[in-house]
Amino acid sequence: MVSMKKTFLLLLLFWAPCLCIAQDISVYFSPNGGCQQAVISEIRKAAQTIDIAMYYLSSRDIAQALVRASQKGVVIRVVLDQGQEIEAASKSGYLIKHGFNIRYHLGFGLMHNKFAIFDGKSLITGSFNWTLTAQERNEENLLIITDEKTIEKYKERFEYLWNTSRPDSRNTKGLDAFPAWFCTTYHLFCSN
């Protein structure tokens, strides 16, 4: 009987860390594997903040969920690839019309990130773009992570992206948010 208790305790000690990891990550795949619904579910759960760095955002359902979250008082910041400012299918214009502060990455390469942080407590990342094509046709993946250390790293990266991106030219709320170096270098969109 004693050896059975020892065996059980050893197994518990061995498997306990694995159980914690399993609780920190949820996995989804597309096409039609629940990725979009998982994103919308996280948006609905958010109570205070959502920070989004997304290469391509054209899903009407996700954009509408973001608007509903904003209407209930959730503060939402969005950084998109600069190509999204003129892309016809992009929901950036729709979000701006609903009062969102949208920024575009200024780098020479693509802003190819696909992540969002909800209330600083959960993180969505993976290859899944927030598009209907990604949901219905592409082979994509999505992870929901609740590990604090991982989320902290993504929060740092989001702040970097936010601070080095420019507001949408249609977003009058963001005109005073241009960094001084951008105004003096490019002389664009600045109020001075």
Side-chain angles (χ1 to χ4, degrees), residues 2-191:
V2 173
S3 65
M4 190 167 188
K5 286 183 182 179
K6 285 182 184 179
T7 303
F8 177 75
L9 287 174
L10 285 173
L11 285 172
L12 184 61
L13 289 173
F14 175 75
W15 286 106
C18 296
L19 294 174
C20 293
I21 291 170
Q23 293 174 355
D24 288 343
I25 301 175
S26 300
V27 180
Y28 300 87
F29 295 100
S30 67
N32 300 313
C35 292
Q36 180 170 281
Q37 192 53 46
V39 171
I40 292 170
S41 177
E42 289 300 305
I43 292 168
R44 286 180 182 152
K45 287 190 256 179
Q48 298 173 336
T49 62
I50 303 174
D51 289 334
I52 302 165
M54 188 57 51
Y55 171 65
Y56 203 93
L57 196 166
S58 64
S59 166
R60 180 182 343 160
D61 292 342
I62 292 175
Q64 289 174 342
L66 288 168
V67 168
R68 285 189 296 274
S70 177
Q71 291 170 343
K72 68 177 196 180
V74 177
V75 176
I76 303 171
R77 300 185 296 171
V78 182
V79 175
L80 298 171
D81 182 70
Q82 58 190 334
Q84 292 295 288
E85 187 171 21
I86 58 171
E87 172 62 44
S90 174
K91 293 301 179 197
S92 61
Y94 171 81
L95 294 174
I96 288 166
K97 286 178 186 174
H98 284 87
F100 282 65
N101 193 353
I102 304 288
R103 291 192 180 187
Y104 299 99
H105 184 253
L106 290 172
F108 292 106
L110 297 175
M111 198 296 298
H112 210 243
N113 284 291
K114 300 158 184 94
F115 70 86
I117 305 160
F118 301 87
D119 293 332
K121 296 177 182 176
S122 67
L123 162 73
I124 286 180
T125 191
S127 67
F128 185 73
N129 280 302
W130 293 3
T131 68
L132 187 61
T133 302
Q135 172 63 16
E136 293 182 351
R137 289 192 278 178
N138 294 350
E139 292 290 340
E140 307 270 358
N141 69 79
L142 180 90
L143 301 173
I144 300 177
I145 301 169
T146 57
D147 176 69
E148 290 177 22
K149 290 179 184 176
T150 303
I151 293 169
E152 194 57 40
K153 289 179 182 181
Y154 275 86
K155 284 167 66 175
E156 289 171 12
R157 190 61 181 181
F158 181 84
E159 291 303 327
Y160 164 78
L161 291 169
W162 182 257
N163 291 324
T164 58
S165 297
R166 67 168 176 75
D168 188 289
S169 59
R170 302 165 288 188
N171 184 358
T172 56
K173 274 179 37 177
L175 290 179
D176 60 348
F178 282 106
W181 64 265
F182 183 81
C183 293
T184 57
T185 304
Y186 298 104
H187 307 290
L188 299 171
F189 311 114
C190 300
S191 55

